[in-house]
Amino acid sequence: MEERETGMVRLLDDLRKMSKLREYLKRMQTFKHNPEGNPVPVKIWLSGNSNSGKSTLRENLAKLLGFDDFYVGDVFRNRARIKGVPIHEFYAEIEKEEEMAIDREWINLMLEHPRIIIEGRMAPWIDEVSKRLGLPLKDWKGTLKISLFLSVDPIEGAKRALGREENSRKTREEMIAENIGRAREEQEHYRSLYGIPHHLDTKARRGNERVFDFVIDTTNQSPEAVLNMAHKCIAHRVQYFILGRL
């Protein structure tokens, strides 16, 4: 574990030194839609399959870019802890109004922070969620928004989940079935709550744009490799933004 952490620190240092991403982010302060020279807002939305490494990537990207970061799931877990119930029971029993209140919370937080990484199932679907909540739709002109989807093979996802103490007594087959069942329940839940047909559809479109800008398969990748790939995706998007092609 210590060796892995040391390797990650080294990778972060290397990326900071060799990459032009931070230089690009600074150049955005003179972007044509930003005559005052203020930092251009950057919103990175992160979603994906269970056990695909989303939280690890969020934390590492925040360190690399110096951005604020927020995990929507922490709000649910904190409320479950206050009520003294397991998280899966809390999800099953949560009232519609309470869940929508949580979604309003992260949307407001996202709007308050100029540069932030939000991890959550509904994060890339912010326009659809805002509309259903009756919130004014955000005008994204002048804002760089990037949505990343992390995918993972069901077998590898189950293997990672079995490494957690709460799953230690389950078999691989049970874990795979549980993950698939949870994804199906979520799909029906978000279809009913927000009118989203399939929240994990990597080919989903919003008008002429894809909901997910980049899909990264983490199945056979280390956290360091995933960070490097995400870093390249973001750098590519930033360059296009600067060129006025977004």
Side-chain angles (χ1 to χ4, degrees):
M1 180 63 73
E2 183 176 347
E3 182 178 349
R4 166 60 61 82
E5 291 178 352
T6 301
M8 182 61 73
V9 170
R10 188 179 301 115
L11 175 63
L12 287 170
D13 288 340
D14 289 344
L15 286 174
R16 290 191 186 101
K17 293 175 182 177
M18 66 182 287
S19 170
K20 293 186 177 181
L21 181 52
R22 288 200 169 199
E23 176 186 334
Y24 293 149
L25 290 172
K26 289 181 180 179
R27 286 176 59 190
M28 287 167 61
Q29 295 185 200
T30 59
F31 188 63
K32 60 185 178 183
H33 292 308
N34 184 37
E36 296 82 10
N38 298 320
V40 170
V42 181
K43 316 294 183 180
I44 300 177
W45 300 315
L46 185 59
S47 186
N49 300 133
S50 296
N51 309 298
S52 57
K54 300 182 294 296
S55 293
T56 299
L57 177 59
R58 169 179 51 81
E59 294 168 356
N60 289 332
L61 277 176
K63 293 176 184 176
L64 174 64
L65 302 177
F67 282 18
D68 295 313
D69 68 295
F70 181 73
Y71 174 38
V72 179
D74 279 343
V75 180
F76 289 92
R77 285 178 169 77
N78 289 337
R79 296 197 181 193
R81 192 177 302 114
I82 292 173
K83 291 186 176 183
V85 298
I87 184 61
H88 64 276
E89 290 185 17
F90 180 79
Y91 276 126
E93 299 172 0
I94 188 172
E95 296 291 336
K96 175 181 177 180
E97 291 72 18
E98 183 174 8
E99 181 169 1
M100 286 183 159
I102 292 174
D103 286 329
R104 286 190 182 91
E105 183 177 330
W106 71 257
I107 288 175
N108 288 331
L109 181 72
M110 185 273 298
L111 295 174
E112 291 171 0
H113 290 256
R115 295 184 169 184
I116 190 170
I117 304 167
I118 297 281
E119 175 193 349
R121 290 282 192 263
M122 291 293 96
W125 299 93
I126 183 171
D127 289 345
E128 290 75 10
V129 174
S130 296
K131 183 177 181 180
R132 189 60 66 95
L133 291 175
L135 299 174
L137 294 181
K138 168 71 175 175
D139 179 4
W140 297 111
K141 184 177 181 180
T143 297
L144 172 59
K145 49 190 180 71
I146 306 167
S147 58
L148 302 174
F149 185 99
L150 300 192
S151 66
V152 67
D153 177 83
I155 295 177
E156 175 62 22
K159 178 182 176 182
R160 296 176 185 178
L162 289 172
R164 302 192 184 107
E165 184 178 353
E166 65 267 26
N167 298 322
S168 59
R169 296 186 179 183
K170 299 175 184 177
T171 65
R172 186 179 69 177
E173 289 69 26
E174 290 173 336
M175 199 70 252
I176 292 175
E178 182 177 315
N179 287 338
I180 292 175
R182 184 183 299 117
R184 288 174 177 168
E185 290 175 0
E186 287 180 353
Q187 180 179 348
E188 183 57 37
H189 176 71
Y190 292 126
R191 179 189 288 119
S192 174
L193 190 63
Y194 291 125
I196 297 171
H198 194 340
H199 65 296
L200 299 180
D201 181 5
T202 58
K203 296 181 179 180
R205 303 189 73 86
R206 181 185 296 114
N208 296 324
E209 297 182 350
R210 286 185 177 274
V211 172
F212 300 103
D213 298 311
F214 301 99
V215 179
I216 300 175
D217 185 354
T218 70
T219 301
N220 298 311
Q221 305 295 336
S222 66
E224 294 88 348
V226 173
L227 174 62
N228 202 9
M229 287 187 285
H231 169 265
K232 291 179 180 178
C233 290
I234 295 170
H236 175 78
R237 193 75 168 176
V238 168
Q239 290 179 67
Y240 267 63
F241 188 83
I242 291 175
L243 294 173
R245 297 177 66 176
L246 288 179

